[in-house]
Amino acid sequence: MNMRIVGMAVAAVLTFNTLNAAEEKKEEKKAETKAGTAGVISMDGSTTVGPIAKAFLAEFKKQNPKVEIQLSESGSGNGAKALLNGSCDIANMSRFMKNTEFEACTQKGVYPVAHVIALDGIAPIVHPSNPVKNLTIEQIKKIYTGDIKSWKDVGGPDKDIVVISRDTNSGTYEAWMEMVLGKEARIVSSAEYTGSSGQVRARVAATPGAIGYIGVGYVDDTVRGVPVNSIEPTPATVRNGTYPISRPLFMFTNGYPAMGSDLYNFVTMYLTAEGQKIIEGIGFVPVTTYPAK
């Protein structure tokens, strides 16, 4: 009888230990997933931040080939929603989170932490054939609200202006509205809306009378960035603070990532010399500067 009781006791202890170990592993897996150390990092959000995210992804994979990194580009607003819903580890955003987004996150136990990964300017762009040399903030505002309808009114040809805008879910759109048009302004009803900076650039490149706006890093020889208030939209003028339509770019995480985790190493790439080189190579402005070796 005593041996039977002892055997039952041992079995109970073993069962308890097995269940306890399984529970501990389950909790460890949850913690690893939350910290970004489970071998998968997912990103969603801004198309403006997209080129940086893609370049970081490629570099990170070279050093960490076993880590799976997923990237979607559905706009800054959707990035915030994805972080809120737990469907991404990193929300790429070309604007700061709104108070309403923060409140919604904290009510669900999500605590957004902002990582400023780069600086960017938003450049008004025109077709390369357009001779306009400069636009003031006030002129751009009047173009986008429909008060100025022809290029001849700002020193260009007698041609109707075709207004191109980012979609309203875009962080670039919201930054443009805040810094150029003002929160109470309304874009002219004839404006065309596009889903990405690349689409804005393509539309302007194909339309001699068009005007659009994109991040400085997206400007190439298919379009021309127009100086604003006589300041060229370049990485140098964004860096020195003279270009008037500039902003930081963000990666948001749920809480600060665990030190040394894959997520931590990824979102802090911008602090490294290699990260700076990547950001500058794409045409954005790094927030850190390391001397050349």
Side-chain angles (χ1 to χ4, degrees):
M1 175 68 85
N2 288 340
M3 291 299 294
R4 184 182 178 190
I5 293 173
V6 170
M8 291 174 64
V10 170
V13 169
L14 289 174
T15 301
F16 174 80
N17 287 341
T18 300
L19 291 172
N20 192 49
E23 188 63 28
E24 286 181 356
K25 285 185 178 180
K26 184 178 179 182
E27 291 302 316
E28 285 175 5
K29 188 170 183 62
K30 284 182 181 178
E32 285 181 348
T33 301
K34 186 175 181 180
T37 59
V40 179
I41 297 173
S42 61
M43 295 181 279
D44 195 1
S46 169
T47 61
T48 299
V49 180
I52 299 175
K54 288 175 185 173
F56 278 13
L57 186 160
E59 181 62 27
F60 194 81
K61 286 286 287 182
K62 291 179 186 177
Q63 307 299 324
N64 305 273
K66 293 183 179 180
V67 179
E68 180 184 348
I69 306 177
Q70 303 163 346
L71 173 63
S72 297
E73 298 178 44
S74 59
S76 294
N78 285 331
K81 291 176 184 176
L83 191 69
L84 166 67
N85 296 327
S87 56
C88 75
D89 300 300
I90 301 170
N92 296 325
M93 300 185 68
S94 58
R95 59 167 173 79
F96 200 74
M97 269 199 183
K98 301 175 184 177
N99 289 340
T100 53
E101 291 168 335
F102 260 107
E103 290 171 4
C105 283
T106 56
Q107 287 173 4
K108 286 192 67 172
V110 175
Y111 301 98
V113 171
H115 308 265
V116 180
I117 61 165
L119 304 177
D120 184 32
I122 305 177
I125 56 169
V126 297
H127 191 273
S129 65
N130 192 321
V132 168
K133 301 300 182 185
N134 178 71
L135 290 170
T136 65
I137 292 285
E138 185 61 24
Q139 285 174 327
I140 298 171
K141 179 178 180 179
K142 287 182 177 180
I143 288 171
Y144 268 82
T145 56
D147 292 329
I148 293 178
K149 295 180 173 61
S150 173
W151 284 111
K152 70 178 181 180
D153 296 327
V154 289
D158 188 4
K159 184 185 291 291
D160 289 343
I161 300 174
V162 179
V163 175
I164 311 296
S165 175
R166 282 298 310 277
D167 58 281
T168 58
N169 192 52
S170 160
T172 302
Y173 166 86
E174 297 199 28
W176 185 257
M177 291 297 294
E178 181 177 345
M179 291 188 282
V180 179
L181 274 70
K183 293 182 178 180
E184 302 303 317
R186 294 290 181 270
I187 290 180
V188 62
S189 60
S190 60
E192 299 177 23
Y193 292 84
T194 65
S196 71
S197 294
Q199 290 175 358
V200 173
R201 183 178 60 198
R203 185 73 178 92
V204 172
T207 311
I211 184 171
Y213 56 90
I214 57 177
V216 167
Y218 276 89
V219 178
D220 62 17
D221 58 6
T222 66
V223 295
R224 185 169 63 82
V226 181
V228 178
N229 294 350
S230 299
I231 306 294
E232 292 277 356
T234 66
T237 59
V238 172
R239 179 181 291 110
N240 65 26
T242 58
Y243 185 67
I245 314 174
S246 300
R247 54 165 175 186
L249 302 176
F250 301 93
M251 287 183 175
F252 281 87
T253 57
N254 178 10
Y256 198 80
M259 301 287 283
S261 67
D262 293 329
L263 184 57
Y264 171 84
N265 291 331
F266 188 89
V267 297
T268 57
M269 280 187 68
Y270 73 95
L271 294 173
T272 68
E274 185 59 35
Q276 171 194 316
K277 183 178 178 181
I278 288 171
I279 290 166
E280 285 185 320
I282 298 171
F284 294 99
V285 180
V287 296
T288 54
T289 302
Y290 293 94
K293 294 183 179 179

